[in-house]
Amino acid sequence: MSDVTARSRARVPRRLVHLYAGLALYGASSALLVRAGLGLEPWGVLHQGLAGRTGLSIGVVSIVVGAVVLLLWIPIRQRPGLGTVSNVFAVGIAMDGTLALVPDVHGLAAQIPVLAAGIGLNGVATGLYISARFGPGPRDGLMTGLHRLTGRSLRLVRTAIEVAVVATGFLLGGSLGAGTVLYALSIGPLAQLFLRVFALPGPDDGLPDGAGPPRGAILPR
């Protein structure tokens, strides 16, 4: 066995820790945004709106939406990785678990710190999840697939998807507010910071790679 192969196999457990810690923290961070009550991230707005309409928990809705989005990969010929499939289930489970443990907060003195914690934790989760390189989340794969299929820029495709998701979620009763705007402005710089913090050796070191982060590492959903 070559030294490169041995190093590659030795690093897989660390990548798995990054993957599942990142997914769990992402679900927890999304739950904190719900508890803050000041506005959710774009897909969270949709999930909350659907949860209100269906009576399902927001975590279960997240799982269902993720599965539906993953099915949309078939006609656009995207290939899921371990991280893709894990994302569908792990985030929603972690979200519902956190919501069961964290009570509602009231008043800006409590809401603002919870919102800040949710956004900050989301940045940490993004850095962990993407650094594992086990494949993009279902929603990101949809974006990159449509980019490849249409020839439009990633920025344009992502913006169109996010606007459609937010608008639909808001019409269904999802929470759109100052927290949504703050999240949109903060998550990019936070993701970039924590991707550097949690960076792992890449494919050039012989590490098996599921799929690199396709979207400039903004959201792992």
Side-chain angles (χ1 to χ4, degrees), residues 42 119 178-191 218:
I119 293 174
T180 309
V181 177
L182 184 59
Y183 179 92
L185 295 175
S186 303
I187 192 59
L190 285 172
I218 299 301

Side-chain angles (χ1 to χ4, degrees), residues 32-51:
L32 290 179
L33 295 180
V34 172
R35 288 296 184 237
L38 296 174
L40 304 179
E41 77 278 18
W43 283 93
V45 177
L46 177 62
H47 297 156
Q48 188 182 55
L50 287 171

Side-chain angles (χ1 to χ4, degrees), residues 12-104:
V12 169
R14 186 177 176 188
R15 291 173 63 203
L16 289 170
V17 169
H18 277 219
L19 171 65
Y20 289 108
L23 293 176
L25 290 177
Y26 198 100
S29 69
S30 297
L32 290 179
L33 295 180
V34 172
R35 288 296 184 237
L38 296 174
L40 304 179
E41 77 278 18
W43 283 93
V45 177
L46 177 62
H47 297 156
Q48 188 182 55
L50 287 171
R53 297 282 181 163
T54 63
L56 298 173
S57 72
I58 191 170
V60 170
V61 169
S62 173
I63 292 171
V64 172
V65 171
V68 170
V69 172
L70 190 54
L71 289 176
L72 296 177
W73 282 33
I74 297 174
I76 59 177
R77 298 182 180 180
Q78 290 287 91
R79 292 185 178 181
L82 174 64
T84 310
V85 178
S86 298
N87 183 295
V88 172
F89 299 99
V91 172
I93 292 170
M95 190 175 186
D96 274 351
T98 303
L99 287 171
L101 295 173
V102 179
D104 289 326

